[in-house]
Short mmCIF file of all heavy atoms in Angstrom, two decimals:
data_model
loop_
_atom_site.label_atom_id
_atom_site.label_comp_id
_atom_site.label_asym_id
_atom_site.label_seq_id
_atom_site.Cartn_x
_atom_site.Cartn_y
_atom_site.Cartn_z
N ASN A 200 17.51 -13.84 6.03
CA ASN A 200 18.26 -14.64 5.02
C ASN A 200 17.62 -15.98 4.80
O ASN A 200 17.08 -16.62 5.74
CB ASN A 200 19.67 -14.81 5.58
CG ASN A 200 20.57 -15.41 4.56
OD1 ASN A 200 20.71 -16.64 4.45
ND2 ASN A 200 21.23 -14.61 3.75
N ASN A 201 17.60 -16.35 3.52
CA ASN A 201 17.43 -17.75 3.15
C ASN A 201 18.81 -18.26 2.71
O ASN A 201 19.39 -17.61 1.83
CB ASN A 201 16.42 -17.89 2.04
CG ASN A 201 16.23 -19.30 1.60
OD1 ASN A 201 16.57 -20.25 2.28
ND2 ASN A 201 15.69 -19.48 0.37
N PRO A 202 19.43 -19.28 3.24
CA PRO A 202 18.81 -20.28 4.07
C PRO A 202 18.95 -20.12 5.59
O PRO A 202 18.36 -20.94 6.36
CB PRO A 202 19.62 -21.56 3.69
CG PRO A 202 20.94 -21.04 3.43
CD PRO A 202 20.76 -19.63 2.76
N THR A 203 19.69 -19.10 6.05
CA THR A 203 20.08 -19.11 7.49
C THR A 203 19.08 -18.48 8.46
O THR A 203 19.15 -18.72 9.69
CB THR A 203 21.41 -18.44 7.71
OG1 THR A 203 21.19 -17.03 7.47
CG2 THR A 203 22.49 -18.97 6.79
N GLY A 204 18.18 -17.64 7.99
CA GLY A 204 17.26 -17.00 8.89
C GLY A 204 17.90 -15.80 9.66
O GLY A 204 17.28 -15.16 10.43
N ALA A 205 19.23 -15.58 9.40
CA ALA A 205 19.87 -14.48 10.16
C ALA A 205 19.45 -13.14 9.57
O ALA A 205 19.09 -12.99 8.38
CB ALA A 205 21.40 -14.55 9.97
N VAL A 206 19.37 -12.10 10.45
CA VAL A 206 18.86 -10.81 10.04
C VAL A 206 19.87 -9.72 10.40
O VAL A 206 20.38 -9.61 11.50
CB VAL A 206 17.53 -10.50 10.77
CG1 VAL A 206 16.89 -9.19 10.19
CG2 VAL A 206 16.54 -11.65 10.65
N TYR A 207 20.23 -8.91 9.37
CA TYR A 207 21.18 -7.81 9.64
C TYR A 207 20.52 -6.71 10.49
O TYR A 207 19.38 -6.36 10.30
CB TYR A 207 21.60 -7.15 8.29
CG TYR A 207 22.72 -7.93 7.60
CD1 TYR A 207 22.51 -8.56 6.39
CD2 TYR A 207 23.97 -8.00 8.17
CE1 TYR A 207 23.54 -9.27 5.72
CE2 TYR A 207 25.01 -8.72 7.53
CZ TYR A 207 24.80 -9.28 6.31
OH TYR A 207 25.78 -9.94 5.73
N SER A 208 21.34 -6.13 11.40
CA SER A 208 20.92 -4.97 12.20
C SER A 208 21.07 -3.72 11.36
O SER A 208 21.75 -3.74 10.31
CB SER A 208 21.71 -4.82 13.48
OG SER A 208 23.08 -4.51 13.11
N ARG A 209 20.53 -2.65 11.85
CA ARG A 209 20.65 -1.34 11.18
C ARG A 209 22.11 -0.95 11.04
O ARG A 209 22.55 -0.50 10.02
CB ARG A 209 19.91 -0.29 12.00
CG ARG A 209 19.27 0.86 11.35
CD ARG A 209 18.30 1.57 12.24
NE ARG A 209 17.06 0.84 12.41
CZ ARG A 209 16.04 0.86 11.49
NH1 ARG A 209 16.19 1.59 10.40
NH2 ARG A 209 14.93 0.17 11.74
N GLU A 210 22.85 -1.14 12.15
CA GLU A 210 24.27 -0.77 12.16
C GLU A 210 25.08 -1.60 11.13
O GLU A 210 25.90 -1.06 10.41
CB GLU A 210 24.88 -1.03 13.56
CG GLU A 210 24.36 -0.21 14.66
CD GLU A 210 22.86 -0.47 15.00
OE1 GLU A 210 22.45 -1.70 14.98
OE2 GLU A 210 22.15 0.48 15.26
N GLN A 211 24.73 -2.88 11.00
CA GLN A 211 25.46 -3.71 10.07
C GLN A 211 25.13 -3.28 8.62
O GLN A 211 26.01 -3.21 7.77
CB GLN A 211 25.06 -5.19 10.29
CG GLN A 211 25.67 -5.75 11.56
CD GLN A 211 25.16 -7.13 11.84
OE1 GLN A 211 23.97 -7.41 11.82
NE2 GLN A 211 26.02 -8.05 12.28
N LEU A 212 23.85 -3.02 8.38
CA LEU A 212 23.53 -2.60 6.98
C LEU A 212 24.11 -1.21 6.69
O LEU A 212 24.53 -0.90 5.51
CB LEU A 212 22.03 -2.58 6.83
CG LEU A 212 21.34 -3.92 6.54
CD1 LEU A 212 19.84 -3.79 6.24
CD2 LEU A 212 22.02 -4.74 5.48
N THR A 213 24.24 -0.42 7.71
CA THR A 213 24.88 0.91 7.50
C THR A 213 26.32 0.72 7.04
O THR A 213 26.81 1.36 6.07
CB THR A 213 24.85 1.76 8.82
OG1 THR A 213 23.47 1.90 9.18
CG2 THR A 213 25.45 3.11 8.61
N LYS A 214 27.02 -0.23 7.66
CA LYS A 214 28.40 -0.57 7.27
C LYS A 214 28.46 -1.01 5.81
O LYS A 214 29.32 -0.67 5.06
CB LYS A 214 29.02 -1.58 8.16
CG LYS A 214 29.23 -1.04 9.59
CD LYS A 214 30.49 -1.72 10.22
CE LYS A 214 30.82 -1.05 11.54
NZ LYS A 214 30.23 -1.75 12.71
N TRP A 215 27.46 -1.85 5.40
CA TRP A 215 27.41 -2.34 4.02
C TRP A 215 27.22 -1.18 3.03
O TRP A 215 27.82 -1.10 1.99
CB TRP A 215 26.34 -3.41 3.84
CG TRP A 215 26.86 -4.80 4.20
CD1 TRP A 215 26.51 -5.58 5.19
CD2 TRP A 215 27.83 -5.52 3.40
NE1 TRP A 215 27.18 -6.77 5.14
CE2 TRP A 215 28.00 -6.75 4.07
CE3 TRP A 215 28.63 -5.24 2.31
CZ2 TRP A 215 28.94 -7.77 3.61
CZ3 TRP A 215 29.56 -6.18 1.82
CH2 TRP A 215 29.68 -7.40 2.55
N VAL A 216 26.31 -0.28 3.41
CA VAL A 216 26.00 0.86 2.49
C VAL A 216 27.25 1.77 2.40
O VAL A 216 27.64 2.16 1.32
CB VAL A 216 24.77 1.66 3.01
CG1 VAL A 216 24.66 2.99 2.36
CG2 VAL A 216 23.51 0.84 2.83
N GLU A 217 27.92 2.02 3.52
CA GLU A 217 29.17 2.79 3.45
C GLU A 217 30.19 2.19 2.58
O GLU A 217 30.87 2.85 1.75
CB GLU A 217 29.73 3.02 4.90
CG GLU A 217 28.91 3.99 5.73
CD GLU A 217 29.22 3.87 7.25
OE1 GLU A 217 30.13 3.12 7.65
OE2 GLU A 217 28.59 4.62 7.97
N TYR A 218 30.35 0.86 2.71
CA TYR A 218 31.33 0.12 1.89
C TYR A 218 30.95 0.16 0.41
O TYR A 218 31.85 0.38 -0.43
CB TYR A 218 31.37 -1.35 2.38
CG TYR A 218 32.13 -2.30 1.50
CD1 TYR A 218 33.56 -2.31 1.49
CD2 TYR A 218 31.44 -3.20 0.72
CE1 TYR A 218 34.23 -3.18 0.67
CE2 TYR A 218 32.08 -4.14 -0.07
CZ TYR A 218 33.46 -4.09 -0.07
OH TYR A 218 34.15 -4.97 -0.87
N ALA A 219 29.71 -0.02 0.09
CA ALA A 219 29.23 0.02 -1.29
C ALA A 219 29.50 1.40 -1.89
O ALA A 219 30.01 1.52 -3.05
CB ALA A 219 27.72 -0.35 -1.40
N LEU A 220 29.24 2.43 -1.13
CA LEU A 220 29.49 3.81 -1.67
C LEU A 220 30.98 4.00 -1.89
O LEU A 220 31.34 4.62 -2.94
CB LEU A 220 28.91 4.86 -0.67
CG LEU A 220 27.35 4.88 -0.69
CD1 LEU A 220 26.90 5.78 0.54
CD2 LEU A 220 26.77 5.42 -1.97
N GLU A 221 31.75 3.54 -1.01
CA GLU A 221 33.22 3.70 -1.10
C GLU A 221 33.74 2.93 -2.33
O GLU A 221 34.61 3.43 -3.06
CB GLU A 221 33.71 3.05 0.17
CG GLU A 221 35.17 3.16 0.51
CD GLU A 221 35.38 2.27 1.82
OE1 GLU A 221 34.83 2.67 2.90
OE2 GLU A 221 35.95 1.20 1.61
N GLN A 222 33.10 1.80 -2.63
CA GLN A 222 33.60 0.92 -3.78
C GLN A 222 32.85 1.34 -5.09
O GLN A 222 33.18 0.74 -6.09
CB GLN A 222 33.19 -0.54 -3.48
CG GLN A 222 34.06 -1.20 -2.44
CD GLN A 222 35.42 -1.42 -2.95
OE1 GLN A 222 35.69 -1.77 -4.06
NE2 GLN A 222 36.43 -1.20 -2.07
#
Side-chain angles (χ1 to χ4, degrees):
N200 189 271
N201 178 17
T203 69
V206 188
Y207 278 115
S208 68
R209 209 168 285 280
E210 294 67 36
Q211 288 171 317
L212 282 187
T213 301
K214 291 211 172 96
W215 272 114
V216 166
E217 285 165 2
Y218 169 76
L220 289 170
E221 190 186 290
Q222 288 289 323

